Amino acid sequence: MTAILDSLAELRHALSPSQVLLPSDGLDRYQRSALDGFAGRAAAVVRPRTTDEVRVVMRWAYRHRIRVVAQGANTGLVRGGLPDETGATVVLSLELCRQRLELDVVNRTVTASAGHDLGRLNEELAGHGLLLPVDVGSNPSVGGMVSTNTGGAKVLGFGDVRRRVLGLEVVLPDSDATVLNMLSGLRKDNSGLDAKQLFIGTGGVFGVEVTARPRQVATAWAAVRDDESAFALLQQLEESVGDFLTSYELTTRNVLEIRARHNPGLRLPFPDGRVPELAVLVELSTTLSSRAGLSVEDLLVDALDRAAGLGQVLDAVVGPHDDMWAIRHGGDEFGREGVSYWVDVSVPRSRLAEFRRRFFGLVEERFAGWVPLALGHYGDGGVHAGVLYPHRRGSCDPAEVESLRDELYDVVADLGGSFSAEHGIGPYNQRFYHRHKDPALQALSGLLKSVVDRRSILGVADFGPSGQG
Amino acid sequence: MTAILDSLAELRHALSPSQVLLPSDGLDRYQRSALDGFAGRAAAVVRPRTTDEVRVVMRWAYRHRIRVVAQGANTGLVRGGLPDETGATVVLSLELCRQRLELDVVNRTVTASAGHDLGRLNEELAGHGLLLPVDVGSNPSVGGMVSTNTGGAKVLGFGDVRRRVLGLEVVLPDSDATVLNMLSGLRKDNSGLDAKQLFIGTGGVFGVEVTARPRQVATAWAAVRDDESAFALLQQLEESVGDFLTSYELTTRNVLEIRARHNPGLRLPFPDGRVPELAVLVELSTTLSSRAGLSVEDLLVDALDRAAGLGQVLDAVVGPHDDMWAIRHGGDEFGREGVSYWVDVSVPRSRLAEFRRRFFGLVEERFAGWVPLALGHYGDGGVHAGVLYPHRRGSCDPAEVESLRDELYDVVADLGGSFSAEHGIGPYNQRFYHRHKDPALQALSGLLKSVVDRRSILGVADFGPSGQG
């Protein structure tokens, strides 16, 4: 520890004192997960402003063999950007990297330093009728979105962050802190290995393709009988109005009931207060102005009428965008109802119905007292699967959650799915990576990581086979 | 050579004799480029049918240190799938790999062995109203499309092949011919390095996301004054009808004139036979049926009227899809007019006007007798830049073309572009890779390649720094 402190003095000198925060400065917001209160312990938090300063930090870390964890806005869900509990890790916070924010309107690209946040970026784009179509509940940094390949509630319509990244500038963890400049802003470049794909995860400056802001949006909730009907409806929508379909989100009855119970202002849009077994939020949008003669609301109403005629839908209500999404996004009602845990998985869409049945069955049969919940990006094959132990039942055993995760991920693997659809690995998912990832892929990933990060100084996830760090 | 022949006997035994073709069997179609007549010389052509047979071949090649070049339908343009002239290379033709062609309609994915071709795949999909939206002049194999990340004339609307690949099965060139199974069919999977991105180029089975077939298409040619007007029009179209814009292709006057001269059946759709300096093909399409009340033809007419009012367009004609595209795709008229060479570059859209001006200026000032031509995927920043030496001028010096490429790619690099937008590296572009690719990226790519291909037995491109194999 003394060695780290000595070397930190060197860094305070190379940067400026305010860019190197020590535990005595109070590091809580860089160490604590907003999700579950987990707190690691950092030796320091280093905050470079420019690529050159990132290089100073990486050269320093390489020389002293100090482990560095890159962090953006600390909104991650798998502890991938947090220090561990040893107190020997340095957090490389990119929050001050905000030098560049350059919009190329003709090219429809924006180049932004890692520390800008999604909200700020979209504010800048809105002035030009443009949008980076990432729709998540938090306000991540652009560097963080690249590092985790952020998904969200519009992946169905617009794809994930990886699909939009046209360029990256990367600082390597080697002796010289080599800079890879892959900031071309090109939509097409087949002049070699697409190396940036390896670095979705390293900080710096990056460039993304943006899209036009929709001028019309129509949103509805539809009650469906079962998962099979949910997919029949999805297929009918894709078939008839697929060009406009941007979201397709599923919610189970208990989620709706808990939300309604703790939010008196929230009105569920189903007739006579009946809460359906399953409901989906459907959103259509287009950049076409309504003056062009097309109304996506009319399209949505027609498609839902057709669905009712086909028995795919029991009830459906088109309503104001914000009210409809408030039901989907909710607030902190689960915390008020009990102790809850969520995981984020994906399976092929054609297996989602089976997944949900097996997940609910597993909880009901094997985990007495726990209530299974599901909130899904069903349109893209993703589902947030949760379990809740209600306060009224007394206290629960958190160890049960870990054994539930074991069994649940076995189901996911059996259905050809992923134990982490959107959130990454991080310490939170590390043991499942070792359990479920094809060993040949683990071996290859470990080798590739060792080529790029020879001293193993970067990040907290272990991509190689278990025990070979 | 005797050693190779002996070892080939071993392979004929392990597979079947008809799967191992020797020079005496006539290897012309596996050795010759359809583009420019270049012919390499293979020691043999090996044609596995299954992944297990590919493994047999790769284990054999690893053991005997034989260099192997994977080949699909041999429609590539940079000799990346052709043997070199040494006669010591074995072509691994994947044309018989056709075991799997599995459509998952609910998941909207198709899993196909590498040997199927694009035409066959889309025939299968058409029965379900689905489409793999790759629009190119040839009929490549699915393995070839992944290996070159195929672009084409619809990248603007649908993205390139990389954006659609959800999974790959890869056979590694190691002692055991390890199989990496990354065939998940998941739209979202952030459970580790997205290793398939490294292998867009290795053969095997792969899975892609498909899209719905358009039900309406409207196509027009518009005459524009200059490149700046072409981009003003593009921006106006993206702004007003961007959800439907699938192609935006530019053609210079001399291209149109040469096409018209050699194709009496081809009618240029401009009034009074006036051929404009520049013209763009615009295509809108949608999966929405015309019964839903929206006509993309009406949208296109309105947008072009608006453009005429804004001075962005001189003349514009909406016409039948096939007639309009015949003008864009043409036939062999350049060969009848003279000796022509084409390169495929990309620059940020905001630099394309400058690129074309500098390209035309370069040819006119420095390469007497050559005529500069341009055909562009302008909407995605791509342009096919050509030069023609007309027969009527006598014979040309092919060495001039190489020095023109030198100078042209310097311009491209200066504008932040790529010397190979869609076609890959291959021997045809090898020296430009060493000249223009960031040396740090070359070094990293070489290291990564050596991790995966330790005996350097696979392919003909050299990803590492020059001279380090």
Side-chain angles (χ1 to χ4, degrees), chain A residues 336-357:
Chain A
R336 287 152 69 187
E337 183 86 10
V339 175
S340 65
Y341 294 89
W342 293 86
V343 298
D344 167 51
V345 302
S346 62
V347 299
R349 296 197 323 196
S350 34
R351 316 295 293 273
L352 262 177
E354 187 180 350
F355 167 75
R356 205 182 62 83
R357 207 153 34 234

Side-chain angles (χ1 to χ4, degrees), chain A residues 54 87 103 196 225 252-253 296 333 337 361 413 421 461 468:
Chain A
V54 173
L103 176 61
K196 69 173 180 288
R225 196 181 315 276
T252 52
R253 179 163 76 177
V296 290
E333 22 339 271
E337 183 86 10
Q468 292 175 32

Side-chain angles (χ1 to χ4, degrees), chain A residues 104-108 128-129 148-152 155-156 160 162-164 166 172 178-182 184-199 209 212 215 231 234-235 238-244 285-289 292-294 299 302 344-351 377 379-384 416-425 433 437-438 440-441 444-445 447-448 451-452 463, chain B residues 104-108 128-129 148-152 155-156 160 162-164 166 172 178-182 184-199 209 212 215 231 234-235 238-244 285-289 292-294 299 302 344-351 377 379-384 416-425 433 437-438 440-441 444-445 447-448 451-452 463:
Chain A
D104 180 338
V105 174
V106 175
N107 203 36
R108 277 205 174 188
H128 302 269
T148 57
N149 184 22
T150 302
V155 168
L156 178 63
D160 56 19
R162 183 186 296 278
R163 289 204 181 183
R164 303 216 152 247
L166 297 184
L172 294 182
T178 303
V179 176
L180 297 180
N181 185 338
M182 302 173 284
S184 68
L186 300 176
R187 282 170 179 72
K188 298 192 302 196
D189 180 7
N190 282 295
S191 64
L193 178 73
D194 190 5
K196 69 173 180 288
Q197 303 293 348
L198 284 172
F199 295 101
E209 185 178 10
R215 287 202 183 76
F231 282 103
L234 174 59
Q235 280 186 269
E238 285 187 329
E239 155 83 11
S240 59
V241 293
D243 284 2
F244 310 97
S285 67
T286 180
T287 61
L288 199 66
S289 151
L294 177 88
L299 283 183
D302 288 352
D344 167 51
V345 302
S346 62
V347 299
R349 296 197 323 196
S350 34
R351 316 295 293 273
H377 302 318
D380 64 33
V383 58
H384 300 310
S418 166
F419 62 86
S420 186
E422 298 188 334
H423 298 168
I425 306 177
Y433 178 79
K437 201 74 175 177
D438 177 354
L441 274 175
L444 178 69
S445 300
L447 279 172
L448 295 173
V451 165
V452 174
F463 289 94
Chain B
D104 180 338
V105 173
V106 175
N107 202 38
R108 279 207 172 183
H128 302 270
T148 57
N149 185 23
T150 302
V155 167
L156 179 63
D160 56 16
R162 183 186 296 277
R163 290 204 179 181
R164 304 218 152 246
L166 296 184
L172 293 182
T178 303
V179 175
L180 297 181
N181 185 338
M182 300 173 285
S184 68
L186 301 177
R187 280 170 180 70
K188 297 191 304 194
D189 181 6
N190 281 295
S191 64
L193 179 73
D194 190 3
K196 69 173 181 290
Q197 303 293 349
L198 284 172
F199 295 101
E209 186 178 8
R215 289 201 182 77
F231 282 104
L234 174 59
Q235 279 185 271
E238 286 187 329
E239 155 85 10
S240 60
V241 293
D243 285 2
F244 310 98
S285 67
T286 180
T287 62
L288 199 66
S289 152
L294 177 87
L299 283 184
D302 289 350
D344 168 50
V345 302
S346 61
V347 297
R349 297 197 323 197
S350 33
R351 315 296 294 272
H377 301 317
D380 64 34
V383 58
H384 300 310
S418 167
F419 62 87
S420 187
E422 296 188 334
H423 298 168
I425 307 177
Y433 178 79
K437 201 75 174 179
D438 177 354
L441 275 174
L444 178 69
S445 300
L447 279 172
L448 295 173
V451 165
V452 174
F463 289 94

Side-chain angles (χ1 to χ4, degrees), chain B residues 78-130:
Chain B
V78 295
R79 306 179 191 160
L82 290 175
D84 60 20
E85 286 139 314
T86 62
T89 309
V90 167
V91 171
L92 174 68
S93 166
L94 295 158
E95 66 183 347
L96 302 184
C97 281
R98 300 191 176 195
Q99 285 211 314
R100 300 180 67 178
L101 185 56
E102 296 154 16
L103 175 62
D104 180 338
V105 173
V106 175
N107 202 38
R108 279 207 172 183
T109 54
V110 62
T111 303
S113 303
H116 287 292
D117 62 52
L118 177 61
R120 170 82 188 80
L121 192 65
N122 269 333
E123 210 172 87
E124 181 73 20
L125 293 172
H128 302 270
L130 297 172

Side-chain angles (χ1 to χ4, degrees), chain A residues 72-265:
Chain A
N74 191 13
T75 58
L77 299 174
V78 294
R79 304 178 193 161
L82 290 176
D84 60 20
E85 285 140 313
T86 61
T89 309
V90 166
V91 172
L92 174 67
S93 167
L94 296 158
E95 65 183 348
L96 300 185
C97 282
R98 299 190 178 194
Q99 285 213 314
R100 298 180 69 177
L101 184 56
E102 296 154 16
L103 176 61
D104 180 338
V105 174
V106 175
N107 203 36
R108 277 205 174 188
T109 54
V110 62
T111 303
S113 303
H116 286 292
D117 62 52
L118 177 62
R120 171 80 187 81
L121 192 64
N122 270 331
E123 210 172 87
E124 182 73 20
L125 292 172
H128 302 269
L130 297 171
L131 176 73
L132 177 64
V134 175
D135 181 4
V136 287
S138 59
N139 186 21
S141 69
V142 294
M145 287 191 288
V146 172
S147 90
T148 57
N149 184 22
T150 302
K154 301 276 161 73
V155 168
L156 178 63
F158 299 107
D160 56 19
V161 166
R162 183 186 296 278
R163 289 204 181 183
R164 303 216 152 247
V165 175
L166 297 184
L168 277 181
E169 182 184 86
V170 166
V171 176
L172 294 182
D174 61 17
S175 61
D176 189 43
T178 303
V179 176
L180 297 180
N181 185 338
M182 302 173 284
L183 269 180
S184 68
L186 300 176
R187 282 170 179 72
K188 298 192 302 196
D189 180 7
N190 282 295
S191 64
L193 178 73
D194 190 5
K196 69 173 180 288
Q197 303 293 348
L198 284 172
F199 295 101
I200 294 195
T202 326
V205 174
F206 82 117
V208 296
E209 185 178 10
V210 296
T211 190
R213 293 180 75 84
R215 287 202 183 76
Q216 294 186 57
V217 177
T219 317
W221 276 98
V224 296
R225 196 181 315 276
D226 52 27
D227 297 83
E228 282 74 11
S229 309
F231 282 103
L233 172 60
L234 174 59
Q235 280 186 269
Q236 195 253 117
L237 291 168
E238 285 187 329
E239 155 83 11
S240 59
V241 293
D243 284 2
F244 310 97
L245 186 62
T246 41
S247 294
Y248 193 81
E249 305 272 316
L250 179 125
T251 304
T252 52
R253 179 163 76 177
N254 47 22
V255 168
L256 294 171
E257 287 171 341
I258 292 169
R259 293 234 155 115
R261 193 177 305 145
H262 296 281
N263 293 286

